[in-house]
Amino acid sequence: MVNRALTVVENSLAAAAFMVVTAVALMNVISRYFLNASLAFTSEITVNLAVWMTMIGAAIAVRERAHLGFSLLHDRARGRLRVAVTIAIAVVVVLFLLVIAVYGWEQVVSQRESGRATPSMGIPQWWFSLALPVGAVLAIVRAVQVAVATIRAPDEDGHVVGIEGGPVL
């Protein structure tokens, strides 16, 4: 149930950001064509929402196991070695995402305390920077879920290899 709700949140955030970027870019194209004038705020919104789309998209990619990666060692490993490689990969990914979350949160706090706003529209910049810690936390949750699911996945014989290295089923 939590997994499904998280999926809805991720997909909704990504779709909403993409929809706004598309609408704003279309407005700018129409404005340039008919009014011969560019709307300055459109690039501001587009660039800042791209950060949201990237971070939420990264979490979705981890969930869907669609992120780029070198998987030769993991794919060839069996039994305990596969479990160890899966755990090692998950630990490295989670540590990387924790760095993004921590530094992203520090950036949000700094921008909020300084009152920094976007140049054209005056929107608080931290609203956009919040994508870093939010996206990183979502991706951490998904990385742990994928690691657990991979460890519990059956091998060629239909057995699930547990931490002990023996068949669980």
Side-chain angles (χ1 to χ4, degrees), residues 45 111 126 132:
I45 289 177
Q111 289 173 343
W126 67 269
L132 295 170

Side-chain angles (χ1 to χ4, degrees), residues 105-117 124-126:
W105 183 252
E106 288 177 4
Q107 183 175 354
V108 167
V109 169
S110 172
Q111 289 173 343
R112 189 160 189 241
E113 288 175 351
S114 70
R116 185 172 173 199
Q125 185 65 45
W126 67 269

Side-chain angles (χ1 to χ4, degrees), residues 1-14:
M1 184 164 152
V2 171
N3 188 34
R4 188 175 300 152
L6 194 55
T7 298
V8 168
V9 167
E10 289 167 345
N11 291 346
S12 297
L13 284 172

Side-chain angles (χ1 to χ4, degrees), residues 62-133:
V62 172
R63 177 188 79 209
E64 299 294 327
R65 300 174 189 204
H67 58 289
L68 291 176
F70 178 74
S71 63
L72 178 66
L73 296 175
H74 185 267
D75 293 345
R76 301 243 183 214
R78 299 288 177 252
R80 285 184 183 183
L81 180 59
R82 184 178 181 101
V83 171
V85 170
T86 299
I87 291 170
I89 291 168
V91 166
V92 169
V93 168
V94 167
L95 288 175
F96 175 74
L97 292 167
L98 277 173
V99 169
I100 292 174
V102 168
Y103 284 111
W105 183 252
E106 288 177 4
Q107 183 175 354
V108 167
V109 169
S110 172
Q111 289 173 343
R112 189 160 189 241
E113 288 175 351
S114 70
R116 185 172 173 199
T118 60
S120 296
M121 297 182 64
I123 297 172
Q125 185 65 45
W126 67 269
W127 290 4
F128 298 113
S129 297
L130 195 59
L132 295 170

